[in-house]
Amino acid sequence: MYVSYSGIVFGTGASGQREGGAPVKKASAMDTSITIDTEIQQHDKLQNANRAMDDLLGSASGILGSITKQGITMKGAHRRMLDVINNLGLSNTVMRLIEKRSTQDRVVFFGGIIVTLIVMYLVVRYAL
């Protein structure tokens, strides 16, 4: 990159030449030029990354909403199942086993979330 203004030239080496070996042309009194191709490319890449993150966040919020709806549906099904079990007269032992299984399922679910987040972090950290 080089910047020149009113006869003063920046971006040269000690020999008065550009880093590529080509001599630096002297600038006129009104000549001002800035090469910013790399900055434009970097800006475009950052914009693309920003769009991708926005898409990812939108997708994640949709998934979270879906999981919330599924949780509400599952709670309703659980209540109906307990009502049916009570109507059938099953013992309290069976009902406790069902509740214990529900707690174990919750532990497995949150454990899976933690493992998934760790894997995603490692992929982002070391793959990009």
Side-chain angles (χ1 to χ4, degrees):
M1 178 196 291
Y2 70 92
V3 177
S4 64
Y5 180 72
S6 298
I8 301 173
V9 178
F10 300 98
T12 62
S15 66
Q17 293 184 347
R18 281 196 211 140
E19 293 174 10
V24 177
K25 67 178 182 178
K26 293 292 181 179
S28 67
M30 298 303 291
D31 185 27
T32 303
S33 61
I34 301 173
T35 304
I36 58 172
D37 292 336
T38 56
E39 285 79 10
I40 290 173
Q41 289 173 353
Q42 185 179 15
H43 181 262
D44 291 343
K45 288 180 182 180
L46 288 173
Q47 278 184 333
N48 291 339
N50 188 20
R51 273 190 229 105
M53 287 303 294
D54 287 342
D55 293 342
L56 181 66
L57 289 174
S59 175
S61 67
I63 290 170
L64 181 62
S66 174
I67 289 174
T68 303
K69 288 179 185 176
Q70 289 175 3
I72 292 170
T73 303
M74 292 303 289
K75 284 180 185 179
H78 183 257
R79 282 190 209 110
R80 285 190 299 272
M81 182 187 69
L82 288 177
D83 290 342
V84 168
I85 289 173
N86 285 332
N87 288 337
L88 293 175
L90 293 176
S91 68
N92 287 332
T93 305
V94 174
M95 289 176 44
R96 275 189 245 126
L97 288 174
I98 292 171
E99 291 293 327
K100 184 177 178 182
R101 174 66 189 262
S102 173
T103 304
Q104 291 172 346
D105 289 346
R106 186 174 295 126
V107 169
V108 169
F109 174 73
F110 286 116
I113 289 174
I114 291 170
V115 169
T116 302
L117 288 175
I118 290 171
V119 168
M120 288 172 55
Y121 172 76
L122 292 174
V123 166
V124 168
R125 175 88 169 137
Y126 294 108
L128 301 177

